[in-house]
Amino acid sequence: MAKGASLSGFPEWLPEERVVEQRAIDTLRRIFELNGFLGIETRAVEQGSSLLKKGETSKEIYLLSRLQEVGQENDTPVEDRLGLHFDLTVPLSRYVVEHSGDVVFPFKRWQIQKVWRGERPQEGRFREFIQADIDVVGNGDLPSHYEVELPLVMVSALEALREFGLPKATVHANNRKLSEGFYRGLGLTDVEGVLREIDKLDKIGADEVSKLLVSECGASEAQASACLELAGLSAATGEELGERFRELCARHGIEESSEAYQLANEGLATLAMIVDEAARIRPGAVVADLKIARGLDYYTGSVYETFLDGAASLGSICSGGRYDNLATQGKKKYPGVGLSIGLSRLVSYMLHTAGAKASRQSPAAVLVAVWNEDERSRANRIAAMLRSRGIATDVAPTAAKLGKQIKYADRLGIPYVWFPGQDGADDEVKNIVSGDQSKADAETWTPDERVALQTVEYGER
Amino acid sequence: MAKGASLSGFPEWLPEERVVEQRAIDTLRRIFELNGFLGIETRAVEQGSSLLKKGETSKEIYLLSRLQEVGQENDTPVEDRLGLHFDLTVPLSRYVVEHSGDVVFPFKRWQIQKVWRGERPQEGRFREFIQADIDVVGNGDLPSHYEVELPLVMVSALEALREFGLPKATVHANNRKLSEGFYRGLGLTDVEGVLREIDKLDKIGADEVSKLLVSECGASEAQASACLELAGLSAATGEELGERFRELCARHGIEESSEAYQLANEGLATLAMIVDEAARIRPGAVVADLKIARGLDYYTGSVYETFLDGAASLGSICSGGRYDNLATQGKKKYPGVGLSIGLSRLVSYMLHTAGAKASRQSPAAVLVAVWNEDERSRANRIAAMLRSRGIATDVAPTAAKLGKQIKYADRLGIPYVWFPGQDGADDEVKNIVSGDQSKADAETWTPDERVALQTVEYGER
């Protein structure tokens, strides 16, 4: 975080850092649009009643009150108050229902916005941060092929972010139905509880999770051990996944004719499809990982988490899943599947771990020098000419000594300084990095493209 | 506003409308960077104490409370609570003071973000809207040439927005010192009060303002009439402005040796400089308008409002001024000058008055058809190839009848439909607007650039 971040949990970047964030946003938008997603922006506020629907996260809501209402806030029930959105999925659900007559289904949308969570700030947790989401929402139904296509779009997006120092990303996929069917087949009934404990595997290890399954979820030692076996199952292909899963079920006495097995098998089919299709399109990008649980309770099928090579401590940087019951209107359902990148955390990684930085602070490629204040108007006209030709240009703040003007350019990283010709002489332009200086006409001069571009670089410097 | 905007004052656009807003933001950013401004983004929240400093606007603040704190909000004084920023100037002041050791002065920054105001929603007023700001902040002092350069940048920016249907914009400039000196020269002491009443001229007319000056500000009929004379003064050049102002002072007995005159004369010199330099760089873009007052009390010199030809009812769409005392740190001052575009209101105008609209809903140029679900993987590979070549591509949601797939493309405005070749035949691509169809290879085919581009158009259609 910028060293001056004066409010814990609310990151703020210096201008040369913001360039990295801005370029990352531009890159994500480009990839999302390349994949045919439509951009929307929703209001930052939602009704308390919408925000409270979404279970666990709800305690992190920031509620609003107008200054005039101070002292009377509690006359209004929380459900009727406004709060800041804590993700972009709840707003999407509302948006889709409101505009169901205006959008084309399946509705593929991207959205990059700030979200707010009033949680206690801790290492790597922000109270205000940018999320970058893609979702596809169907009207009534939604084909399962989107459950592999969306993680693949995110893989492309994260791949494009490697330009800013991000390591390779791998999506880990699982399926709620598979887990639920298996747990029920074992005779466990507290499915939510088991998922919640399994979700802790990476943090606390198998032994502790096993104890919790016994103490919190009413599992026997054998049942707990079977849950851990499922969580540890991996496979390179859909076929292999199927074989291993069937072997596991057989060994734990889950019969293929049972309802529980049927449910698990539905999830298995989708997960196998995901693994195989992803391998065809982008080998190694998506793996089956049966310990992925996802805390949020609105996922009903596929769930995803994404990890960066060598950055396990970041946790999942892009998560999501399929949700069939989030958006409803009377009897009508709008099932969706989506993933969300926690962008601020990634930008923090780019800046502070990968060492990403703008090649210079100022977007300007040229600084026009000013010999004396009476000639400022001429400098302004030169700058206007360069800008009209698409060359970003600044003008010296004061008619200080030339060395001081060059130092201003240098501090901002502006590579060219333009000297208006005096006493009828031609103008000249100097590349203050190389020292090259030559005559130049603002109507025709063109900078070296590599020098003129403000770029982002990363790594040791 | 999108017909479904479900919360009064919180605008939300349909995807094809959002394209217009997004392009307007892109355009402003491009112009700001072309002029050498550095982009920053500040957190959405500020301390209550910062927000309350800024006088009149403060009553429009939205305060935050965490859900867990409901019922205990008022244990914390408003000054120590967090609130949403209502403009981008207060955050900039804080940012500059916090990062004074890290940024290069004069600090030229652009910032495009949402702001929130809890005011009663009314025609054309939003509670959540996007502002687009540029400011230059000096360390200790700030040369006055920025007072003409910044409005000229905004003129360029607004000129670039004409692409989306905005009429020509004219900046009206005045100077607080000029007005204050003149009022004091007349013997009036309630300068703030007089400015406030003069600010109402366009709304309620000269007669009513005159009455208010007498009843509210202790002015005599003659003093009120002199104030109105000043407000009505106009001039094409700095020289003419000076002559008319001196004539007015002489007629009302304001002596050139008086302190009040000296103050007015300082303002006059800056305003004359602005008018003359603007005329040299961009004739007709900036005019002196001595009735411009600006409600906010932190302006200390130049003030600006901007009006669109034929859209007087919109009021000022880009306002600002010079503020010498907003950001301070001990004895240190960071004087600034800046202007702010109320972007959401402009986008609303573009959409609903100028008829601006995206040429199509989807960014995709191509839809790959799917003959049957078994061939989806092949369609995905074709799409991946096109995307890798920078061609935005979508894939048909289902292997429905071809007519239905083409209808999906048509509804989204996707101009090309790609037919994967069957039984070893070549792929073909059809422009569904012109009907042209030809053989195509995803590795080499290039769309007609004009057809492939998602653009914004405006006007009757």
Side-chain angles (χ1 to χ4, degrees):
Chain A
M1 194 167 332
K3 65 176 188 182
S6 51
L7 208 55
S8 176
F10 292 85
E12 223 166 46
W13 315 118
L14 290 172
E16 65 267 35
E17 297 173 329
R18 169 62 181 165
V19 172
V20 177
E21 181 171 80
Q22 181 77 67
R23 298 290 170 96
I25 292 170
D26 294 344
T27 298
L28 293 176
R29 171 180 163 194
R30 182 173 57 78
I31 299 292
F32 297 159
E33 298 202 330
L34 205 48
N35 283 273
F37 286 77
L38 283 59
I40 67 165
E41 170 112 352
T42 56
R43 49 178 154 86
V45 305
E46 296 291 331
Q47 297 283 359
S49 52
S50 299
L51 297 170
L52 289 167
K53 261 196 286 191
K54 208 176 129 178
E56 218 194 351
T57 323
S58 63
K59 61 175 177 297
E60 303 167 358
I61 298 170
Y62 277 116
L63 293 168
L64 302 186
S65 43
R66 295 169 62 200
L67 187 56
Q68 293 96 318
E69 297 163 348
V70 163
Q72 304 154 31
E73 292 98 329
N74 300 306
D75 298 355
T76 311
V78 169
E79 286 73 12
D80 297 336
R81 289 176 63 180
L82 296 177
L84 295 173
H85 57 214
F86 52 80
D87 73 3
L88 303 178
T89 313
V90 169
L92 173 65
S93 308
R94 176 191 51 76
Y95 184 95
V96 163
V97 170
E98 276 179 21
H99 301 293
S100 59
D102 298 307
V103 303
V104 178
F105 289 100
F107 181 50
K108 298 176 66 172
R109 85 88 176 77
W110 67 267
Q111 191 171 353
I112 303 179
Q113 275 182 253
K114 281 188 178 167
V115 303
W116 294 267
R117 295 185 186 178
E119 59 189 325
R120 207 163 288 281
Q122 46 179 312
E123 185 70 46
R125 289 272 176 182
F126 294 137
R127 293 180 149 194
E128 170 177 294
F129 57 98
I130 299 172
Q131 281 197 336
D133 282 28
I134 51 171
D135 286 82
V136 180
V137 178
N139 187 349
D141 55 18
L142 183 73
S144 63
H145 61 80
Y146 289 114
E147 290 168 67
V148 63
E149 284 161 19
L150 265 73
L152 285 174
V153 174
M154 281 307 201
V155 167
S156 303
L158 292 164
E159 188 68 26
L161 291 183
R162 296 182 70 176
E163 190 187 340
F164 311 116
L166 219 59
K168 183 176 177 303
T170 309
V171 176
H172 293 231
N174 191 8
N175 192 290
R176 278 281 173 93
K177 290 179 183 167
L178 192 162
S179 309
E180 177 172 348
F182 184 79
Y183 302 154
R184 292 200 188 280
L186 291 174
L188 291 166
T189 51
D190 182 8
V191 173
E192 288 290 324
V194 175
L195 284 169
R196 196 161 43 237
E197 304 309 338
I198 291 291
D199 203 27
K200 299 175 183 163
L201 256 175
D202 282 340
K203 273 190 193 153
I204 62 175
D207 286 355
E208 290 302 316
V209 169
S210 181
K211 283 181 204 161
L212 287 169
L213 288 172
V214 173
S215 65
E216 304 298 316
C217 310
S220 67
E221 296 280 348
Q223 285 170 327
S225 152
C227 291
L228 288 169
E229 260 193 272
L230 180 72
L233 196 151
S234 73
T237 65
E239 197 181 343
E240 197 183 359
L241 181 70
E243 281 165 14
R244 291 188 182 178
F245 182 72
R246 280 186 288 275
E247 185 277 324
L248 192 67
C249 288
R251 197 144 41 75
H252 291 282
I254 303 175
E255 288 186 19
E256 300 205 1
S257 61
S258 67
E259 255 182 57
Y261 183 87
Q262 294 307 320
L263 181 66
N265 203 39
E266 254 183 62
L268 177 69
T270 303
L271 186 56
M273 179 277 291
I274 290 174
V275 170
D276 288 341
E277 178 65 3
R280 275 190 291 267
I281 303 286
R282 201 180 268 266
V286 182
V287 300
D289 181 347
L290 281 73
K291 69 176 179 297
I292 300 297
R294 302 288 308 133
L296 298 170
D297 52 11
Y298 57 76
Y299 293 118
T300 52
S302 294
V303 285
Y304 318 98
E305 295 196 339
T306 309
F307 303 94
L308 295 178
D309 281 4
S313 65
L314 271 185
S316 174
I317 53 106
C318 171
S319 309
R322 175 164 181 141
Y323 44 91
D324 280 349
N325 309 315
L326 191 61
T328 55
Q329 192 176 28
K331 283 187 182 166
K332 211 165 191 176
K333 282 191 181 179
Y334 299 94
V337 52
L339 292 98
S340 175
I341 293 177
L343 187 61
S344 297
R345 232 155 22 116
L346 285 193
V347 170
S348 188
Y349 178 94
M350 291 171 193
L351 294 173
H352 303 129
T353 305
K357 213 178 162 181
S359 59
R360 61 174 187 258
Q361 276 197 47
S362 173
V366 179
L367 178 78
V368 181
V370 176
W371 298 115
N372 59 65
E373 286 301 331
D374 290 343
E375 293 194 47
R376 176 166 299 278
S377 183
R378 195 171 142 217
N380 279 339
R381 281 198 304 273
I382 292 167
M385 173 56 67
L386 292 170
R387 289 169 189 148
S388 76
R389 297 179 51 237
I391 301 166
T393 305
D394 200 356
V395 176
T398 63
K401 279 184 188 158
L402 197 55
K404 213 173 157 190
Q405 297 189 41
I406 290 174
K407 200 179 164 198
Y408 171 82
D410 187 52
R411 290 187 64 201
L412 285 168
I414 301 174
Y416 292 102
V417 178
W418 191 281
F419 306 117
Q422 290 181 292
D423 304 321
D426 288 333
D427 291 2
E428 299 204 0
V429 65
K430 180 175 186 166
N431 177 329
I432 62 171
V433 183
S434 70
D436 292 346
Q437 183 166 340
S438 57
K439 290 185 180 178
D441 180 338
E443 292 186 32
T444 54
W445 175 79
T446 308
D448 181 330
E449 213 173 281
R450 287 159 309 172
V451 176
L453 232 53
Q454 187 187 25
T455 56
V456 167
E457 296 149 5
Y458 70 92
E460 306 287 329
R461 262 156 310 166
Chain B
M1 194 167 331
K3 66 177 187 182
S6 52
L7 208 54
S8 177
F10 292 85
E12 222 166 47
W13 316 119
L14 290 172
E16 65 266 34
E17 297 173 328
R18 169 63 181 166
V19 172
V20 176
E21 181 172 80
Q22 182 78 67
R23 298 290 170 94
I25 292 170
D26 293 345
T27 298
L28 293 176
R29 171 180 164 196
R30 181 173 58 78
I31 299 292
F32 297 160
E33 298 201 331
L34 205 50
N35 283 273
F37 286 77
L38 283 60
I40 66 165
E41 170 112 353
T42 57
R43 49 177 152 87
V45 304
E46 298 290 331
Q47 298 283 0
S49 53
S50 299
L51 296 170
L52 289 168
K53 260 196 286 191
K54 209 176 130 177
E56 219 194 349
T57 324
S58 63
K59 61 176 177 295
E60 304 167 359
I61 299 171
Y62 276 115
L63 293 168
L64 302 185
S65 45
R66 296 169 61 202
L67 187 57
Q68 293 96 318
E69 297 164 348
V70 163
Q72 304 153 33
E73 292 98 328
N74 299 307
D75 298 356
T76 311
V78 170
E79 286 73 13
D80 296 337
R81 290 176 63 181
L82 296 177
L84 296 173
H85 58 212
F86 53 80
D87 73 2
L88 303 177
T89 313
V90 169
L92 173 65
S93 308
R94 175 191 53 75
Y95 184 96
V96 163
V97 170
E98 276 179 23
H99 301 294
S100 59
D102 298 307
V103 302
V104 178
F105 289 100
F107 181 51
K108 298 176 66 171
R109 85 87 176 78
W110 67 266
Q111 192 171 352
I112 303 179
Q113 274 182 252
K114 281 186 178 168
V115 303
W116 294 266
R117 296 187 184 177
E119 59 189 327
R120 207 162 288 281
Q122 45 179 313
E123 185 69 47
R125 289 273 176 183
F126 294 137
R127 294 180 148 193
E128 170 177 295
F129 56 98
I130 298 172
Q131 282 197 336
D133 282 29
I134 52 171
D135 287 81
V136 180
V137 178
N139 186 349
D141 54 18
L142 184 72
S144 63
H145 61 80
Y146 289 114
E147 291 169 66
V148 61
E149 284 161 19
L150 265 73
L152 285 174
V153 174
M154 281 307 201
V155 166
S156 301
L158 292 165
E159 188 68 24
L161 291 184
R162 295 183 69 175
E163 190 187 339
F164 310 116
L166 220 59
K168 183 177 179 301
T170 309
V171 175
H172 293 232
N174 191 9
N175 193 291
R176 277 282 174 91
K177 290 179 184 168
L178 192 160
S179 309
E180 177 171 348
F182 184 78
Y183 303 153
R184 290 202 189 282
L186 290 176
L188 292 164
T189 51
D190 181 7
V191 173
E192 289 290 325
V194 175
L195 284 169
R196 197 160 43 236
E197 304 308 339
I198 291 290
D199 204 26
K200 299 175 184 165
L201 256 176
D202 282 340
K203 272 189 195 154
I204 61 174
D207 286 354
E208 289 302 316
V209 168
S210 180
K211 282 182 202 161
L212 288 168
L213 287 170
V214 172
S215 65
E216 304 298 317
C217 310
S220 66
E221 297 279 347
Q223 284 169 327
S225 152
C227 291
L228 288 169
E229 261 192 90
L230 180 73
L233 195 151
S234 74
T237 65
E239 195 181 345
E240 195 184 1
L241 180 71
E243 280 166 15
R244 292 188 183 181
F245 182 72
R246 280 186 288 275
E247 185 276 324
L248 192 66
C249 287
R251 198 143 43 74
H252 291 282
I254 302 174
E255 288 187 17
E256 301 205 0
S257 60
S258 67
E259 255 182 58
Y261 183 88
Q262 294 305 320
L263 181 65
N265 203 39
E266 253 183 62
L268 177 69
T270 303
L271 186 56
M273 179 276 291
I274 290 174
V275 169
D276 289 342
E277 179 64 3
R280 275 190 291 269
I281 302 286
R282 202 181 268 264
V286 181
V287 299
D289 181 348
L290 281 74
K291 69 176 177 298
I292 299 297
R294 303 287 310 133
L296 298 169
D297 52 10
Y298 58 77
Y299 293 117
T300 52
S302 294
V303 284
Y304 318 98
E305 295 196 340
T306 308
F307 303 94
L308 295 179
D309 281 3
S313 64
L314 271 183
S316 173
I317 53 105
C318 171
S319 309
R322 176 163 182 143
Y323 44 91
D324 281 350
N325 308 315
L326 191 61
T328 55
Q329 190 175 31
K331 281 188 182 168
K332 210 164 191 177
K333 283 191 182 180
Y334 299 94
V337 52
L339 291 98
S340 175
I341 293 177
L343 188 61
S344 298
R345 231 155 24 116
L346 285 193
V347 170
S348 188
Y349 179 93
M350 290 170 193
L351 295 173
H352 303 130
T353 305
K357 213 179 164 179
S359 59
R360 63 173 187 257
Q361 276 197 47
S362 173
V366 179
L367 177 79
V368 182
V370 176
W371 299 115
N372 59 65
E373 286 302 330
D374 290 343
E375 292 195 47
R376 176 168 299 279
S377 184
R378 194 172 143 219
N380 280 340
R381 282 199 304 274
I382 291 167
M385 173 55 66
L386 291 169
R387 289 170 189 148
S388 76
R389 297 178 51 236
I391 301 165
T393 304
D394 200 355
V395 176
T398 65
K401 279 186 188 154
L402 197 56
K404 213 173 156 187
Q405 297 189 41
I406 290 175
K407 199 179 163 197
Y408 171 82
D410 186 52
R411 289 187 65 199
L412 285 168
I414 301 174
Y416 292 102
V417 177
W418 191 281
F419 306 116
Q422 289 181 291
D423 305 321
D426 289 332
D427 291 2
E428 298 204 0
V429 65
K430 179 175 185 166
N431 177 330
I432 61 170
V433 183
S434 70
D436 293 347
Q437 183 166 339
S438 57
K439 290 185 180 181
D441 180 339
E443 292 187 32
T444 54
W445 175 78
T446 308
D448 181 328
E449 213 174 280
R450 287 159 308 171
V451 176
L453 233 53
Q454 188 187 25
T455 56
V456 168
E457 296 148 5
Y458 69 92
E460 304 288 330
R461 261 157 308 167

